[in-house]
Amino acid sequence: MKLIVLLLSLSTLVNAQNLLKDAIAFRLGASVNPRLLSENEAYRGIASNEFTSITAENHMKMMLVHPAADRFDFSKGDEIVAFASATGKRIHGHTLVWHNQVPQWMKDFKGDQKAWEDLLKHHIQTVVGHYRGKVAGWDVVNESFLDDGSLRSSLWADHIPDYIAKSLLWAHEADPNATLFYNDYGQDGHPKKMQAILNLVADLKSRQIPIHGIGLQMHINVDSKRTQIEEVITKSAQTGLAVHFSEVDVAVNPKNNPEFVYDEKASAAQMELYKFLFKSFQSIPMKQQYGITFWNISDKDSWLRGYFKRPKEYPLLFDENYAKKPAYTELTKSLNKLY
Ligand code: G3I
C-alpha cells in the first residue's frame, strides 16, 4: 500500500515537473480572449492548467470597457476575472491609459485641461474601482514614449500635462493595494527609449508618485540582440521596482516572408531565446520578479498573425492544435535543472 502511495506521489511529482509553471518560482501568465475561453475547450484547458496569472488581451482597454461617455461595459472583463478567480490565478490589469484602442467619443471630446483631467480620472477610477481587490496590478500607462525617447503625442499627452504621474495617483487612490506599472515595448535596441523610462521612474520616485513596477513587453524576435535585452533587464532591475515581462512572444518570421518554413533550425533558435529570456528573468532579485506573461496561448491566437497579416508566424509555446511545442519541453527541462 505504502509503495503504491509512494509511486503515485512520485508520478505526480514527475508530471508536475513537466509543467513550465512548476519549473519556476515566479508567476507565469498569459493574456486571453474571452470568446476563446468560452468556446474553445483546448484553449480553456491550457489557460487553466498552465498559468498562474491572467491578463485580458483587449477587454479591459478603454475602447471596450468605456464605449460611451456615460456607459461602462465590464461584461467581458468580468468573464475573464471570473475564470481567473475560479482557477485561483492572479489577475493583471491591462491597460488604463493608452494612445491606442480609444473609443470614438473620447477622440471627439472637446474641453479644457480640467475637463480632460476629469474624463481620465473618472475612467481610471471607475475601472480600478470596479476591479478593486480582484486585480493585483495594473499597466496604468502604456507606451508613452517613442523610440527616440521623446514623449509620444496622444490625446492624453496633448491635453493633460504630467498625465503619467496624475494617472498613477488616480489609480492609487482607487486601489491603494494594486501594484502600478509603466508598460512599454522595444526598450532593447532603443536605448533612448529605455533611458526615458528610467528618467521617468527616477522623477516619479523623487516626487513620491506611486510607481511600483516596469513592464517590459518583450515582443522580440529570433534576431533580437541578447546583449541589448540583458542591458534592459539589468537597468530595469536596478530601479528596485517589480519587473514584468508583460507581453512575451518570440517571432520567427519577423520580415513576413510568405515562403517561410518553421523548420528545426528556426524552432531551435526560438527555443534558445526563450531559455535566455527565462534565465535572464531569474537573475532579477526574487522580490522584484512579478512574472512572465505570454501574449496569448497558441501560435494560432497570436496577434502577430492577425494584426500584421503574417500567417506564417509561430511565436508562442503551443502550436495550432494546442500541443506543446518542443520549445516548451526543452525550456521546462532546462529550467528544472536549476532547482
Ligand atoms: O473586436 C473586433 C471585431 O468585432 C472586428 O470584427 C474585428 C475586425 O478587425 O476587429 C476586432 O477588434 C480587433 C481587436 O484586436 C480584438 O480582437 C482589432 O481589429 C485589432 O486591432 C485588435 O488588436 C489588438 C491590438 O492590441 C490593438 O492595438 C490585439 O488583439 C492585441 O493583442 C494588441 O495588444 C497590444 C497591447 O495591448 C499593448 N502592447 C502591444 C500589443 C500588440 O499590439
Side-chain angles (χ1 to χ4, degrees):
M1 183 64 184
K2 273 188 185 158
L3 185 67
I4 293 173
V5 172
L6 182 70
L7 286 176
L8 278 176
S9 11
L10 271 178
S11 85
T12 316
L13 197 69
V14 169
N15 282 333
Q17 283 181 341
N18 289 336
L19 296 183
L20 177 56
K21 70 173 181 187
D22 295 321
I24 53 181
F26 51 84
R27 295 270 180 171
L28 188 68
S31 76
V32 293
N33 171 314
R35 186 179 53 77
L36 290 170
L37 265 189
S38 76
E39 288 175 5
N40 184 327
E41 212 175 305
Y43 183 94
R44 189 170 56 249
I46 294 177
S48 176
N49 297 332
E50 296 280 348
F51 300 102
T52 53
S53 178
I54 288 289
T55 303
E57 184 182 12
N58 285 298
H59 288 80
M60 291 189 187
K61 295 174 180 172
M62 280 174 167
M63 186 186 237
L64 289 111
V65 291
H66 202 168
D70 56 354
R71 192 163 67 85
F72 285 84
D73 178 358
F74 292 114
S75 54
K76 294 293 166 192
D78 288 356
E79 276 178 29
I80 294 172
V81 168
F83 165 81
S85 306
T87 51
K89 302 185 198 321
R90 179 184 70 188
I91 301 158
H92 180 71
H94 175 84
T95 173
L96 298 168
V97 187
W98 193 24
H99 61 277
N100 216 338
Q101 285 179 297
V102 173
Q104 191 58 44
W105 72 266
M106 283 189 194
K107 293 184 187 161
D108 295 340
F109 185 78
K110 300 268 177 299
D112 59 10
Q113 186 186 322
K114 168 82 170 59
W116 277 99
E117 288 188 1
D118 288 348
L119 181 162
L120 189 59
K121 181 178 180 185
H122 176 60
H123 172 80
I124 291 174
Q125 297 206 325
T126 307
V127 179
V128 175
H130 180 82
Y131 290 116
R132 183 181 167 131
K134 292 182 179 144
V135 163
W138 279 103
D139 293 332
V140 177
V141 182
N142 194 38
E143 304 174 7
S144 296
F145 296 107
L146 296 174
D147 291 346
D148 67 3
S150 61
L151 194 68
R152 184 195 295 273
S153 159
S154 70
L155 279 186
W156 319 116
D158 299 350
H159 293 105
I160 307 177
D162 206 18
Y163 80 98
I164 303 179
K166 286 173 185 157
S167 300
L168 288 159
L169 285 166
W170 293 328
H172 187 64
E173 255 175 42
D175 185 353
N177 294 320
T179 308
L180 304 183
F181 285 83
Y182 173 78
N183 191 49
D184 214 326
Y185 65 89
Q187 295 88 345
D188 56 304
H190 300 107
K192 289 186 175 160
K193 187 180 213 173
M194 185 66 219
Q195 194 52 50
I197 296 169
L198 296 172
N199 295 346
L200 169 76
V201 167
D203 171 62
L204 293 169
K205 281 182 166 180
S206 75
R207 294 193 283 151
Q208 275 88 47
I209 308 284
I211 174 77
H212 312 124
I214 296 182
L216 304 170
Q217 293 183 12
M218 292 290 180
H219 292 294
I220 57 175
N221 67 69
V222 281
D223 299 324
S224 298
K225 302 267 179 307
R226 292 175 185 211
T227 47
Q228 294 175 345
I229 295 175
E230 219 152 32
E231 200 176 322
V232 160
I233 297 170
T234 307
K235 287 185 168 164
S236 300
Q238 279 167 352
T239 63
L241 300 186
V243 179
H244 185 198
F245 291 179
S246 55
E247 305 183 13
V248 171
D249 38 38
V250 178
V252 286
N253 182 17
K255 299 204 171 109
N256 198 3
N257 171 7
E259 312 296 327
F260 181 80
V261 179
Y262 187 45
D263 56 12
E264 260 180 49
K265 194 169 158 240
S267 159
Q270 182 185 43
M271 184 196 311
E272 289 308 321
L273 201 52
Y274 266 121
K275 282 189 200 166
F276 169 78
L277 211 57
F278 272 69
K279 291 192 175 156
S280 305
F281 191 80
Q282 288 173 324
S283 72
I284 299 169
M286 251 192 171
K287 65 174 190 347
Q288 290 172 253
Q289 296 178 7
Y290 186 79
I292 295 186
T293 295
F294 290 95
W295 210 235
N296 224 315
I297 288 179
S298 86
D299 287 343
K300 190 162 66 177
D301 315 314
S302 167
W303 70 292
L304 292 169
R305 285 198 180 180
Y307 197 80
F308 291 122
K309 302 198 174 33
R310 200 194 300 165
K312 295 201 170 155
E313 184 51 85
Y314 310 83
L316 294 167
L317 295 185
F318 292 87
D319 70 16
E320 272 113 45
N321 302 311
Y322 293 97
K324 290 173 183 175
K325 289 162 55 172
Y328 177 105
T329 314
E330 282 306 311
L331 172 64
T332 307
K333 264 196 221 158
S334 76
L335 292 164
N336 267 329
K337 282 188 201 134
L338 289 178
Y339 289 97

